[in-house]
Amino acid sequence: MNVTASVATLPPQHMRALERANQVRLARAELKRRVAVQEVDVADVILQCPWETHSMAVADLLMSQRRWGQTRCRRFLAQIPMSEKKTVGSMTERQRLTLAAMLAAAERGRAWRAGSWSAHSLTMA
């Protein structure tokens, strides 16, 4: 008995991986561009955590903002304390809320202290 199986020919695994990496890279570049021109708020990106930011370092996202360099980013994250290499997708809900509140306070020009954060301060802001 002749059995013919039709096997869908997929591209090799390394080509699929390259294609996926290019999709992520292009999506991140577009997101960074939109953050730089202030179309998108970084706090919203951190709270929503879109697919392209899951494996993106928090520092890369923060530094895509206008006037944010490595030093400002490092000092900002030291207040929590959070590593610059921490990925957006691995952040806990509490870390997301804290970081979003800090960014909102920074946008309003107020100093923010990690020790003074509470859920009440989020509702009052």
Side-chain angles (χ1 to χ4, degrees), residues 45-99:
V45 173
I46 289 171
L47 291 174
Q48 295 169 2
C49 190
W51 67 270
E52 63 264 32
T53 62
H54 277 277
S55 60
M56 183 179 198
V58 174
D60 288 341
L61 184 59
L62 291 174
M63 287 190 295
S64 64
Q65 298 176 100
R66 202 168 151 248
R67 299 179 49 112
W68 277 71
Q70 191 173 18
T71 303
R72 184 173 183 183
C73 178
R74 187 180 302 127
R75 286 180 183 163
F76 186 77
L77 290 175
Q79 295 176 24
I80 309 182
M82 181 182 290
S83 170
E84 300 169 41
K85 297 179 193 293
K86 176 113 177 133
T87 60
V88 177
S90 69
M91 292 172 64
T92 64
E93 188 65 26
R94 184 175 181 173
Q95 288 173 326
R96 288 180 203 283
L97 291 172
T98 302
L99 197 54

Side-chain angles (χ1 to χ4, degrees), residues 2-23:
N2 275 343
V3 177
T4 347
S6 67
V7 177
T9 56
L10 292 174
Q13 189 272 334
H14 71 280
M15 294 302 289
R16 292 192 311 265
L18 282 173
E19 185 177 322
R20 173 69 176 160
N22 282 333
Q23 288 174 345

